[in-house]
Amino acid sequence: MADTGEGKKEEADYKRLHNFPLIRHTDMPEEMRVEAMELCVTACEKYATNNESAAKMIKEMMDKKFGSSWHVVIGESFGFEITHEVKNLLYMFFGGNLAVCVWKCS
């Protein structure tokens, strides 16, 4: 049987190596994309154990900064199909396997 300490070390190394934002898809303008990405990273780090609070923080800040009707989904292993306003979608990964989808629809 494999040593469990070694498995935990490999998992910790994996999480440390992948602790950066990775944009999977976006159609946002550059300035909005950078601000949204930084906001997502900040919220996910602040609420590392509570995805609901992180999503609420992102939604409220995006509503305040870029107008209302923003939606946020944060989690692992989910699929989605959405309709969104053009130039208002960000789908990214953070911390290895945590996905964040932010979009606006009216």
Side-chain angles (χ1 to χ4, degrees):
M1 188 159 222
D3 181 38
T4 57
E6 186 176 312
K8 288 183 181 179
K9 181 184 179 300
E10 288 176 8
E11 184 178 330
D13 288 343
Y14 174 79
K15 287 183 178 179
R16 185 173 59 246
L17 287 172
H18 296 88
N19 199 18
F20 58 90
L22 174 67
I23 294 181
R24 182 74 174 116
H25 178 77
T26 186
D27 63 356
M28 289 181 171
E30 180 72 17
E31 184 178 319
M32 182 187 286
R33 179 188 60 80
V34 170
E35 288 186 43
M37 185 178 65
E38 289 174 354
L39 178 60
C40 290
V41 168
T42 301
C44 289
E45 287 176 343
K46 183 175 181 180
Y47 299 105
T49 58
N50 190 343
N51 291 343
E52 187 176 344
S53 294
K56 184 176 180 180
M57 176 184 167
I58 294 167
K59 186 222 180 328
E60 289 173 354
M61 293 301 291
M62 293 296 285
D63 282 347
K64 187 183 297 184
K65 188 163 248 177
F66 300 109
S68 62
S69 299
W70 285 92
H71 306 278
V72 181
V73 175
I74 300 176
E76 298 176 15
S77 301
F78 66 87
F80 62 92
E81 182 176 336
I82 59 171
T83 302
H84 67 92
E85 287 184 11
V86 177
K87 299 191 182 288
N88 287 294
L89 170 70
L90 173 68
Y91 178 49
M92 63 179 270
F93 290 97
F94 179 72
N97 57 351
L98 187 67
V100 181
C101 185
V102 181
W103 75 97
K104 181 178 184 177
C105 62
S106 21

